[in-house]
Amino acid sequence: MTARRSTTGTPPRVLVLADTDSRWKWGFLTAMQLFPAATHSGLLLDSGRLPSERQLADTGVSVQPEVAGTVPDFIELDELDEVDALVLALPGGAVQAVLHGLARRWSKASRRPLVISGYVGVVYEKHAEGLLLRSGSDVILANSRSDADEFRRLLAGAGADASVVLETVLPFLGKPDSAHGHDGPFTLTFAAQPGVPGSRTDRELVLRRLIRHARLHPEREVLLKVRGKVGERTTHVEHYPYQPLAGRLGVERPDNLSIVHGNMGEVLARTDLLVTVSSTAAVEAMHRGIPTAILTDFGIKERLGNH
């Protein structure tokens, strides 16, 4: 069975399937990067809690995705027979479920869409598990040369086709900016992550350090950039959101310390120093020429992603 190629002279149709705001952003921008002349559309899996309208707006993607329902609902869509490529912007387990469903649907088909999967950001743990769950895709995207080399090695070792790995670049990086600058006071931004660090104690320590820094440098703006508002679904589970933790610390927050959310690119445009444990925002910041610090206060560990 071969993947379909558009032979009618009309632009190819590319469909993106995602489940969170960050995966929707990555999936849609990846589709535009790979198929710039195509017609792009998108669907969201309803896995219990959908991203809010605010979260989707903050991705910067102008196209609004429709809701596909569950994986079985998606597999039954007539639209799948009309597209030329399908980008699966999903976690590994969901990719595997979709691949199994599509294999059954198209078991006797002579033509079908090209199926692409990949990773939203930095791959820092469960390399073999995540990769093998995506094995079966026509193309598996790797965001760096080191990832591409490791993916090919792992697939070859498992007896799978290593040629499906395609090295690409995170689509939201844009052009490098070595002359970064902005109007306003020096701004330090801490890019928070929902699950790193994971414990309440460690996350309270982050807050106390930010408060202390803001007090030591009243001439600076200090931003705690969180992934979303409390109650909004994020790609990774957040057991201890910073917003309520800050309210329960019993410490007055300095006026120059703010908790912000929204589009990361817009926050970076006003940032002079980015600090994070292992957020992909570090890659964005370095790409823009912004000095970046990787926090090692909690150790250097694979589960933290800062190794």
Side-chain angles (χ1 to χ4, degrees):
M1 180 169 54
T2 58
R4 177 190 294 118
R5 294 181 180 178
S6 180
T7 58
T8 63
T10 59
R13 292 187 57 191
V14 181
L15 178 65
V16 178
L17 179 66
D19 65 339
T20 65
D21 58 320
S22 60
R23 292 196 181 103
W24 165 242
K25 177 181 179 179
W26 173 83
F28 191 87
L29 295 182
T30 293
M32 293 184 66
Q33 181 186 60
L34 296 177
F35 307 98
T39 300
H40 306 91
S41 60
L43 297 170
L44 285 175
L45 281 181
D46 187 356
S47 53
R49 193 170 65 194
L50 293 167
S52 67
E53 291 185 9
R54 185 204 65 79
Q55 286 176 295
L56 291 175
D58 282 342
T59 64
V61 176
S62 59
V63 173
Q64 188 75 9
E66 298 181 4
V67 178
T70 63
V71 170
D73 295 329
F74 171 75
I75 298 300
E76 296 299 322
L77 290 176
D78 293 338
E79 183 180 0
L80 294 182
D81 291 327
E82 304 301 323
V83 299
D84 299 288
L86 175 62
V87 177
L88 302 179
L90 300 168
V95 171
Q96 185 183 64
V98 172
L99 290 175
H100 283 209
L102 294 178
R104 289 193 177 190
R105 172 177 176 144
W106 293 323
S107 62
K108 297 180 180 179
S110 59
R111 292 280 184 179
R112 61 168 176 80
L114 184 75
V115 181
I116 302 166
S117 64
Y119 295 83
V120 174
V122 176
V123 184
Y124 62 86
E125 64 177 353
K126 301 180 180 178
H127 285 211
E129 177 183 343
L131 182 65
L132 294 177
L133 287 172
R134 291 170 172 81
S135 180
S137 307
D138 296 309
V139 178
I140 300 176
L141 302 177
N143 297 324
S144 68
R145 182 171 301 173
S146 60
D147 279 350
D149 291 342
E150 183 175 18
F151 291 174
R152 293 185 183 111
R153 178 181 61 80
L154 288 170
L155 287 173
D161 183 2
S163 69
V164 301
V165 177
L166 173 65
E167 181 186 339
T168 183
V169 65
L170 289 168
F172 44 79
L173 291 184
K175 294 181 179 179
D177 182 7
S178 58
H180 175 78
H182 68 93
D183 297 326
F186 184 97
T187 300
L188 178 147
T189 298
F190 179 81
Q193 298 160 264
V196 177
S199 74
R200 175 173 177 170
T201 300
D202 288 348
R203 293 170 81 80
E204 287 179 343
L205 178 60
V206 169
L207 285 168
R208 294 183 187 278
R209 292 283 176 83
L210 289 171
I211 290 171
R212 181 171 181 268
H213 186 86
R215 286 176 176 165
L216 286 172
H217 301 278
E219 77 285 357
R220 295 184 175 186
E221 287 291 331
V222 180
L223 306 179
L224 170 55
K225 167 63 173 69
V226 295
R227 279 296 319 280
K229 295 182 178 180
V230 177
E232 289 181 331
R233 185 190 177 193
T234 53
T235 298
H236 300 285
V237 177
E238 185 167 23
H239 295 294
Y240 302 104
Y242 282 108
Q243 297 94 313
L245 283 182
R248 292 196 291 263
L249 270 184
V251 180
E252 185 176 354
R253 188 196 310 172
D255 292 337
N256 60 328
L257 171 59
S258 304
I259 299 177
V260 299
H261 51 74
N263 184 282
M264 191 70 225
E266 295 176 1
V267 175
L268 287 176
R270 54 188 285 209
T271 296
D272 297 283
L273 172 63
L274 183 91
V275 182
T276 188
V277 177
S278 61
S279 172
T280 306
V283 179
E284 293 186 67
M286 287 185 282
H287 191 71
R288 288 174 177 236
I290 300 171
T292 304
I294 305 299
L295 200 65
T296 60
D297 296 53
F298 311 108
I300 302 175
K301 308 170 185 176
E302 185 177 278
R303 66 179 176 83
L304 292 176
N306 57 1
H307 57 300

